[in-house]
Amino acid sequence: MNDSIDHGSPVKPPEYRQVVTPSDPLGTYDLGSKAEFWRLFWHPVCTLHELRAHCSGGRGPLQTTLLGERILVVDMGGAVRAFSDHCPHRGSSLSLGWLEKDTIRCRYHGWCFDSTGVCTEVPSLGAGEAIPARARLSTYDCQVAYDLVWVRMDGSAKTEIPRFPAWGDESQVCIMGQPYLWPASAGRRVENFIDVSHFPYTHQGTLGAPPLTQFPTFAVDQIAGELRWKTETFLAFNPGDATYGPPAGPDSTMLPPATYIVGMPLTVVLIFNWSKDKATQIFMHPTPIDSENCRSYWFTCHTADGSTDEEHLALQSIVLTEDLPVVASHLPRAIGQLRDEVSVPADKPVVFWRRWLWELIRASEDGGTAVRGALSVERIESELEVGV
Ligand code: FES
Ligand SMILES: [Fe+2]
């Protein structure tokens, strides 16, 4: 065996291969949508670290899952690329194979494919026998941003990777979190993230507590493909300046005003504005593994202030642990129709998000251009200083 070849590691499965497969993996997504709709948008499929750490060469191949499909991620031909993880010969997983220079070789019968997905070698062919023209891989749009590998399976709506200016800003300290898989649809996770009225209960003692259960109604703006609003303060149990760590005691202080930005449909940025010069920004995107499971990619950036990574990660860990059982308990797992649930004024951001999502889903029936049009529809309730 040639030691220069990394033969891959089929014994290192990402954790979502262990997820119980939903009864209908290509079934109904949030608000009755289909996978075709979600293919129009960019989704992170792995962290750059996961790709680099997966095989000894640091270039993959790595198998991941997006919208019920196996995806092959590989650094080949000078760029990180994504293909359908499906060998055109007999349908085995190419991520079980290995890289040889800038080609990937299938573990089953050894066919080789280059960085454009074209088959360059079929070892069983005799002299003069041609490689079949249909022997090529399906390719997907692939980019690296914020140390995440993003994939868009359908480029017809010309959607963009959501912005996050704090990444790469030298005044900011950015910490990549460990992605987490939850048995909930991506939409359920977004709604959980943008909901503040659950703080006093789900996060009692961490981000709030009764009797402080009422929040002013926010002005919610729909602009430039983003839903944006500002909240006033939250009650928290982190006294003094210990604003990042786990709850320290019953002496409550207030978390600062916060700005929420949802890059439609699934990317949420939450900015805590501690002062004019100090902020913490949390980025989160739940990638639909399928209609009923999502894997959330996240990181946090904060103004350099001497706080440690551990402080930031510890608070996130507590909050996520508190959220998980609630979010995993939703029935149905994917969001149904608004009329099937009961909403109150505090649900305003969620209701606005569902309304816009519903408009995008309907526009997708008329093609990618219509989706772009629906993304650019503006409804302004207030002039908001976004602060990023
Ligand atoms: S299945 Fe890939 S080479 Fe045969
Ligand atoms: Fe929560």
Side-chain angles (χ1 to χ4, degrees):
M1 186 176 285
N2 184 341
D3 284 343
S4 68
I5 294 173
D6 185 341
H7 287 263
S9 181
V11 295
K12 289 198 295 184
E15 81 278 19
Y16 43 79
R17 291 193 200 168
Q18 298 160 17
V19 173
V20 177
T21 307
S23 53
D24 181 5
L26 299 179
T28 302
Y29 286 70
D30 292 309
L31 294 178
S33 57
K34 292 293 180 187
E36 285 69 25
F37 169 74
W38 299 96
R39 290 165 71 101
L40 297 167
F41 300 93
W42 289 94
H43 304 281
V45 296
C46 64
T47 66
L48 200 53
H49 175 77
E50 286 174 317
L51 174 63
R52 298 297 182 220
H54 188 63
C55 295
S56 60
R59 301 194 291 139
L62 173 86
Q63 186 195 91
T64 184
T65 307
L66 177 60
L67 297 167
E69 280 195 33
R70 291 191 318 218
I71 305 287
L72 164 69
V73 179
V74 66
D75 185 343
M76 194 160 70
V80 178
R81 299 171 193 274
F83 303 92
S84 173
D85 189 14
H86 182 269
C87 179
H89 180 213
R90 285 296 176 265
S92 69
S93 172
L94 271 165
S95 59
L96 297 173
W98 56 85
L99 283 167
E100 292 181 15
K101 295 202 172 70
D102 275 329
T103 61
I104 184 161
R105 190 178 292 278
C106 181
R107 186 177 285 264
Y108 201 2
H109 309 96
W111 292 22
C112 255
F113 301 87
D114 70 12
S115 61
T116 66
V118 170
C119 182
T120 56
E121 183 187 342
V122 174
S124 62
L125 286 180
E129 294 177 323
I131 297 174
R134 290 195 300 121
R136 57 187 311 150
L137 307 179
S138 298
T139 62
Y140 296 127
D141 296 333
C142 185
Q143 286 186 30
V144 175
Y146 322 130
D147 283 357
L148 299 172
V149 178
W150 295 73
V151 169
R152 184 179 62 182
M153 299 171 83
D154 180 345
S156 65
K158 296 187 170 62
T159 52
E160 295 170 3
I161 293 174
R163 69 194 178 99
F164 190 72
W167 189 271
D169 179 338
E170 288 184 354
S171 70
Q172 300 289 307
V173 177
C174 293
I175 310 162
M176 178 65 68
Q178 180 67 29
Y180 49 91
L181 175 75
W182 283 5
S185 73
R188 292 287 193 193
R189 177 61 185 128
V190 165
E191 292 197 357
N192 167 249
F193 201 95
I194 65 177
D195 176 319
V196 294
S197 64
H198 78 288
F199 280 18
Y201 293 94
T202 309
H203 303 297
Q204 188 163 170
T206 307
L207 298 175
L212 289 156
T213 57
Q214 294 172 13
F215 299 85
T217 305
F218 321 118
V220 177
D221 290 343
Q222 176 176 325
I223 183 168
E226 294 176 342
L227 209 55
R228 309 174 188 168
W229 65 98
K230 270 191 170 176
T231 64
E232 300 299 327
T233 55
F234 300 121
L235 181 70
F237 283 97
N238 298 317
D241 285 328
T243 44
Y244 299 127
D251 303 322
S252 57
T253 59
M254 306 298 274
L255 283 175
T259 304
Y260 283 85
I261 302 173
V262 184
M264 290 298 289
L266 292 179
T267 306
V268 188
V269 175
L270 170 56
I271 306 166
F272 289 112
N273 301 296
W274 303 103
S275 67
K276 189 166 169 294
D277 304 319
K278 182 177 170 183
T280 303
Q281 308 191 23
I282 303 169
F283 177 105
M284 194 280 301
H285 182 113
T287 291
I289 300 301
D290 54 37
S291 59
E292 298 190 348
N293 296 280
C294 66
R295 191 176 197 235
S296 295
Y297 294 83
W298 68 282
F299 51 85
T300 173
C301 293
H302 63 272
T303 314
D305 61 359
S307 58
T308 66
D309 292 359
E310 288 69 30
E311 287 175 76
H312 292 268
L313 294 174
L315 179 57
Q316 292 305 313
S317 173
I318 291 170
V319 170
L320 293 176
T321 302
E322 291 168 344
D323 274 320
L324 171 57
V326 176
V327 179
S329 74
H330 284 299
L331 285 177
R333 275 202 200 175
I335 297 163
Q337 295 300 316
L338 204 50
R339 64 175 175 271
D340 295 332
E341 297 175 346
V342 182
S343 298
V344 293
D347 300 317
K348 181 178 179 182
V350 165
V351 171
F352 274 45
W353 177 80
R354 285 191 188 188
R355 177 178 68 182
W356 201 357
L357 177 61
W358 178 240
E359 290 169 358
L360 294 172
I361 292 167
R362 278 188 307 187
S364 70
E365 294 165 10
D366 296 326
T369 306
V371 172
R372 275 207 76 76
L375 272 173
S376 64
V377 170
E378 298 196 346
R379 299 186 180 102
I380 312 291
E381 289 194 340
S382 73
E383 291 299 328
L384 185 68
E385 281 186 34
V386 171
V388 289

